[in-house]
Amino acid sequence: MNIKVITNTYQNPFLLSADKEKETLARHEANKERLVIPRRPKWDKTTTPEQLDRNERDAFLQWRRDLAVLQEQDNFLLTPFERNLEVWRQLWRVIERSDLVVQIVDARNPLFFRSEDLEKYVKEINEKKKCMLLINKADLLTARQRRIWADYLDSQGIRHIFFSAVLAHERLEKKQNIIAENETNSSIDEKEKENFEENPSKEKYTNIDNGISTDNLSENGDEMSEHPNVNNQEFLESHNNTDDPSDQRERICTTEDLISILVSEAKGAGELVDQDHKITIGLVGYPNVGKSFTINALLGEKRVSVSSTPGKTKHFQTIHLSPSLVLCDCPGLVFPNFATTNGDMVCNGVLPIDQLREHTGPIALIAQRIPKAILEAIYSIKIKVKPIEEGGTGIPSAEELMVAYAVSRGYTKPGHGSPDESRAARYILKDYVNGKLPYCHPPPIGISKEEFNAEIQDLKLYTKPAKKKSIIQPVSSTVNTEVASDGVTPIKGDISRELDKSFFNNQSSGARITGKYSIAGEFNRVKFYPIHATLSDDATPTNGSRLTSNMGPGKKRHWKGRKNQKQFKI
């Protein structure tokens, strides 16, 4: 028997196998206490600025040495943590000023962006200070996923809030549009009211251009808006919340709810210090998690610059939200944390995509997390994978996904014409980081990734429903189809047939042309040279046609300088 056994032994060298990943995660859990952030040395009134600066530099250098031991001797892969002392000094100042320190994390992987040692450091400075976790981009999670995360965070005793700066910004824009529309309508109503007072004979009038009638005016002349009060929170929530969660823990907070929760959490530490003390809330987090965007949503306007480039904010900023509430925005900095591979950090948005040189690792990670059918439906491509008979697993490799995307978009390398895989990888990775490709990490409670992402990876959400084909019933020859001239069905009587026959018989079967050399729309051969006069339109010689010319036989003449005159007479 001719039997061929094929085994799939290919493993991406930039990713870990399943067994190696479990072993690595176990080592991370055992050594997580060694992941600390730099502390500011203690100081008092007798400490001079020079001594304090020297002590800070020595403590920071020792912290760098401890992390170097983790990387070089223990072979741990760490995130590219911040190595600039000035940025950590900004964090120290924010923590010392704030009554409540809020860590802003990405909802798709909250534990990766959370620093446990930061919460310990806040308590070391002052036991009365509080910490909270603000889970931004919560609109990328379903209600079921938020409920699962809420159960896990409550079991760990972590105070948290689900929030979406994007939804808050959209809600603010709708509110502003409604206010602007009402102001425009009110100004139009005032002009119409003045016209009505000048001409009181018209009891009822209508503005044709704007479609506003006096029936829609209230007693004071203002238009009765079709919308409820724009300040009504229920109206805004009904237009922006797509789901109605039964559990309030999984609910995405609005801007008003977020402010009230933050103020209530920060009041405890502020009142005990001073009755006139302004409540200060510090916002801390990784770069590009939406700190500045969240502040703009809270303020209702753009007060802090926002950029997709990590590290846009360089120094901490204080923004007065109210006379008694101050927001303190800390520059985005990367805390020391364990990572499995560089591809994982790229997918989490920690490493910049545009500076990426090796792209097969993160692309292969995306192909493993997102089903092949979902990728094909989102990008409208067809990914050719290796058959199972030849050792394939049904999961696209990094090369197969990049080639399919590059070919469909026409991305080729200059000079060779082969698919530009690097360019395709950058587009795919940016779509994943921005949330176009659906995937969220589950909490460590034993739930599988496939089960946790079953709702957001449903193929029906990304495919258009097929259009129903109309069944055309054949018309029997016995049915009379003659109707009036203004009907839908054309007339098929004897008179119409004779008219059609006489009309189409008079038409020429040749091509219909228009232009300089067309005669009544019929085709005719263009006559540029004398020989053309002896030929008919079908290129056959004509009988009796003669070519007349003023040229003598056997004599050649050149007509220079007489281009506007006719050379031959036909």
Side-chain angles (χ1 to χ4, degrees):
M1 297 178 63
N2 187 11
I3 300 176
K4 185 178 180 181
V5 179
I6 300 176
T7 57
N8 184 16
T9 58
Y10 173 77
Q11 173 65 32
N12 193 308
F14 301 99
L15 296 181
L16 301 178
S17 61
D19 297 336
K20 186 67 175 178
E21 185 176 1
K22 291 181 181 179
E23 180 183 351
T24 303
L25 294 177
R27 293 183 60 202
H28 292 174
E29 186 65 23
N31 294 272
K32 66 178 183 179
E33 297 295 334
R34 302 172 63 182
L35 287 176
V36 296
I37 63 174
R39 262 70 169 172
R40 188 178 189 182
K42 295 182 179 180
W43 58 278
D44 53 17
K45 297 181 179 180
T46 60
T47 306
T48 61
E50 293 78 8
Q51 292 177 349
L52 180 60
D53 181 73
R54 183 62 182 175
N55 294 338
E56 290 178 352
R57 294 182 180 276
D58 292 341
F60 187 75
L61 182 59
Q62 184 61 38
W63 172 75
R64 290 281 304 273
R65 291 172 179 170
D66 296 339
L67 293 182
V69 172
L70 277 175
Q71 290 179 301
E72 298 176 2
Q73 297 183 6
D74 299 338
N75 295 326
F76 281 104
L77 179 63
L78 299 181
T79 56
F81 54 89
E82 184 61 53
R83 291 172 171 81
N84 189 359
L85 176 59
E86 294 299 328
V87 179
W88 288 104
R89 284 174 174 170
Q90 303 296 320
L91 175 65
W92 295 340
R93 295 173 184 174
V94 170
I95 294 176
E96 292 173 355
R97 286 168 174 260
S98 303
D99 303 316
L100 174 65
V101 178
V102 179
Q103 287 192 69
I104 302 180
V105 298
D106 196 323
R108 292 169 291 180
N109 196 358
L111 297 183
F112 179 83
F113 296 96
R114 174 177 175 251
S115 177
E116 298 182 16
D117 191 65
L118 176 64
E119 300 174 359
K120 296 179 182 179
Y121 180 52
V122 172
K123 291 295 183 181
E124 290 176 4
I125 294 179
N126 191 348
E127 288 289 339
K128 300 175 183 178
K129 294 181 181 295
K130 297 181 180 180
C131 298
M132 179 171 285
L133 204 66
L134 191 148
I135 304 176
N136 194 20
K137 305 178 184 179
D139 56 319
L140 299 178
L141 275 67
T142 61
R144 171 178 168 273
Q145 290 175 327
R146 295 196 297 267
R147 189 185 312 114
I148 295 175
W149 269 111
D151 294 338
Y152 171 76
L153 296 175
D154 289 342
S155 63
Q156 300 295 321
I158 302 173
R159 291 282 298 165
H160 63 278
I161 306 174
F162 288 107
F163 184 70
S164 175
V166 175
L167 292 182
H169 183 68
E170 293 177 356
R171 189 180 297 112
L172 177 63
E173 286 185 348
K174 289 184 179 180
K175 179 179 178 181
Q176 293 176 351
N177 292 337
I178 294 173
I179 294 175
E181 181 182 356
N182 291 339
E183 290 178 354
T184 304
N185 294 338
S186 61
S187 61
I188 294 174
D189 293 340
E190 290 178 358
K191 294 181 180 179
E192 293 180 348
K193 187 176 180 180
E194 293 176 358
N195 296 334
F196 178 76
E197 292 176 354
E198 294 176 359
N199 190 4
S201 60
K202 296 183 180 180
E203 298 179 357
K204 178 180 178 179
Y205 65 94
T206 303
N207 190 338
I208 300 177
D209 296 335
N210 298 281
I212 303 174
S213 174
T214 53
D215 293 340
N216 295 328
L217 297 178
S218 57
E219 294 180 356
N220 57 0
D222 296 334
E223 182 188 0
M224 298 173 61
S225 176
E226 298 178 358
H227 304 284
N229 186 7
V230 293
N231 296 322
N232 190 351
Q233 182 177 346
E234 297 180 358
F235 166 72
L236 296 176
E237 292 178 0
S238 63
H239 281 69
N240 291 278
N241 289 340
T242 56
D243 51 359
D244 187 12
S246 57
D247 192 354
Q248 293 297 323
R249 298 179 306 164
E250 67 195 43
R251 178 174 171 270
I252 300 178
C253 294
T254 60
T255 305
E256 294 78 7
D257 295 338
L258 179 61
I259 294 176
S260 61
I261 293 174
L262 294 179
V263 170
S264 61
E265 289 289 332
K267 271 186 177 180
E271 289 179 355
L272 295 177
V273 176
D274 187 5
Q275 293 292 337
D276 299 332
H277 173 71
K278 290 185 178 181
I279 299 175
T280 306
I281 300 175
L283 302 179
V284 183
Y286 276 67
N288 205 17
V289 295
K291 298 187 307 300
S292 301
F293 203 15
T294 301
I295 293 178
N296 293 334
L298 294 175
L299 294 174
E301 58 180 346
K302 184 175 180 181
R303 292 279 298 277
V304 182
S305 59
V306 179
S307 174
S308 59
T309 304
K312 177 67 176 178
T313 307
K314 301 299 182 182
H315 301 280
F316 80 94
Q317 308 175 53
T318 55
I319 300 98
H320 292 266
L321 191 62
S322 67
S324 60
L325 180 61
V326 179
L327 298 179
C328 192
D329 182 20
C330 177
L333 51 88
V334 179
F335 296 97
N337 197 359
F338 291 120
T340 55
T341 59
N342 287 327
D344 189 21
M345 289 189 288
V346 173
C347 293
N348 286 322
V350 176
L351 296 179
I353 297 175
D354 293 331
Q355 302 177 8
L356 186 64
R357 295 184 178 181
E358 200 291 310
H359 45 264
T360 60
I363 293 297
L365 203 59
I366 293 176
Q368 294 177 5
R369 293 175 176 177
I370 302 175
K372 171 177 170 289
I374 301 295
L375 292 172
E376 293 178 342
I378 293 177
Y379 289 128
S380 300
I381 60 177
K382 182 65 177 178
I383 305 175
K384 296 181 180 180
V385 298
K386 183 184 294 186
I388 300 178
E389 295 79 7
E390 299 180 6
T393 59
I395 299 176
S397 63
E399 292 78 8
E400 293 169 346
L401 176 57
M402 290 185 295
V403 168
Y405 185 89
V407 171
S408 65
R409 301 302 190 269
Y411 300 154
T412 57
K413 297 179 181 178
H416 300 281
S418 57
D420 193 350
E421 299 178 0
S422 177
R423 184 180 180 185
R426 291 195 297 269
Y427 280 99
I428 295 174
L429 289 173
K430 289 180 180 180
D431 289 341
Y432 182 86
V433 173
N434 294 332
K436 182 178 179 179
L437 300 179
Y439 182 80
C440 301
H441 291 266
I445 56 176
I447 185 173
S448 63
K449 300 177 181 179
E450 293 77 11
E451 181 183 357
F452 185 74
N453 293 280
E455 294 180 357
I456 61 175
Q457 293 183 353
D458 188 3
L459 186 60
K460 297 179 181 179
L461 300 176
Y462 307 98
T463 55
K464 296 181 180 179
K467 296 182 179 180
K468 296 181 179 180
K469 297 183 179 179
S470 59
I471 302 176
I472 302 176
Q473 298 291 342
V475 181
S476 176
S477 59
T478 59
V479 179
N480 185 13
T481 58
E482 295 187 9
V483 295
S485 59
D486 56 350
V488 179
T489 306
I491 299 176
K492 297 298 181 183
D494 296 335
I495 300 177
S496 62
R497 292 191 187 96
E498 292 296 334
L499 181 61
D500 294 341
K501 185 178 179 180
S502 61
F503 176 79
F504 289 107
N505 286 342
N506 294 331
Q507 300 295 326
S508 175
S509 60
R512 181 176 178 84
I513 64 172
T514 58
K516 180 178 180 181
Y517 302 101
S518 64
I519 301 176
E522 298 296 335
F523 175 79
N524 63 93
R525 184 173 297 277
V526 180
K527 297 177 176 60
F528 284 118
Y529 302 100
I531 190 64
H532 292 162
T534 62
L535 300 177
S536 62
D537 292 339
D538 57 354
T540 58
T542 57
N543 297 326
S545 61
R546 293 182 179 180
L547 175 64
T548 60
S549 176
N550 55 0
M551 292 191 304
K555 188 176 180 180
K556 185 176 181 181
R557 291 176 179 270
H558 297 279
W559 297 83
K560 294 183 179 180
R562 302 174 63 183
K563 297 181 180 180
N564 296 331
Q565 298 182 7
K566 294 183 180 180
Q567 299 179 10
F568 304 101
K569 296 181 180 181
I570 302 174

